[in-house]
Amino acid sequence: MNASQTHAAPASAPRRPAPEPRSAYAVFRTIGTRWSDNDVYGHVNNVVYYSWFDTAVNAHLIEQGALDIHQGETIGLVIETQCNYFAPLAFPQTVEAGLRVAHMGSSSVRYEVGLFAQGEPMSAAAGHFVHVYVGRDDRRPRALPQRLRDVLAALRLNP
């Protein structure tokens, strides 16, 4: 028996994520690109996308009165993040970040973000990150405050 006969045939490759339409997201916020966002290849560098995820989610929570980054007793720590890229974005484009909540637990939230070139119907990139909400001082998990739960509920497409 040779080596190829001792192993089962590999399972089919995992399905690659695909771009999604704007209707897959609950709310949008506009983000301007900066000259420094582009890399030597002439498009936005991958690390900038993660910054946009953070900016879109946290700005929405702050504007909705669900997050006080300076005095709040509860803060969100990122424990997981991922991004899939479908089309390049580059300065001087305007980016529109679509937000939704995919899962809300007792102390954690999975946010999903789609990044769109302004006016485009399909996402140029899509990703997620998970916040675990903890006490500011002790960094121990905390139940999601009611105001935060209310704001997050509005970001769920399929509650």
Side-chain angles (χ1 to χ4, degrees):
M1 206 181 265
N2 67 33
S4 66
Q5 293 172 319
T6 61
H7 299 290
S12 62
R15 188 174 67 86
R16 179 167 169 17
E20 292 184 296
R22 289 174 176 274
S23 60
Y25 298 91
V27 299
F28 284 83
R29 80 175 296 101
T30 301
I31 301 172
T33 57
R34 303 167 304 168
W35 173 257
S36 63
D37 293 337
N38 282 4
D39 61 19
V40 298
Y41 301 117
H43 61 260
V44 171
N45 188 273
N46 60 310
V47 300
V48 175
Y49 290 72
Y50 289 97
S51 174
W52 289 341
F53 291 171
D54 232 359
T55 296
V57 169
N58 288 305
H60 181 75
L61 297 178
I62 290 166
E63 288 170 359
Q64 297 299 311
L67 179 64
D68 179 347
I69 60 173
H70 300 292
Q71 304 297 319
E73 293 179 17
T74 305
I75 61 172
L77 300 180
V78 174
I79 63 160
E80 176 183 303
T81 188
Q82 178 190 358
C83 185
N84 291 287
Y85 306 91
F86 310 118
L89 295 168
F91 176 82
Q93 285 180 302
T94 297
V95 174
E96 296 169 330
L99 307 175
R100 67 180 178 224
V101 167
H103 175 76
M104 181 171 37
S106 60
S107 63
S108 66
V109 180
R110 178 184 162 118
Y111 298 98
E112 294 181 345
V113 182
L115 300 174
F116 295 77
Q118 187 174 37
E120 289 297 317
M122 301 299 285
S123 59
H128 75 268
F129 71 91
V130 176
H131 262 161
V132 171
Y133 286 86
V134 301
R136 178 182 296 278
D137 297 327
D138 66 5
R139 299 296 202 258
R140 303 292 306 151
R142 293 282 192 275
L144 301 175
Q146 189 57 51
R147 177 65 190 148
L148 178 59
R149 292 186 83 70
D150 293 344
V151 170
L152 297 175
L155 295 176
R156 295 186 81 175
L157 293 178
N158 298 313

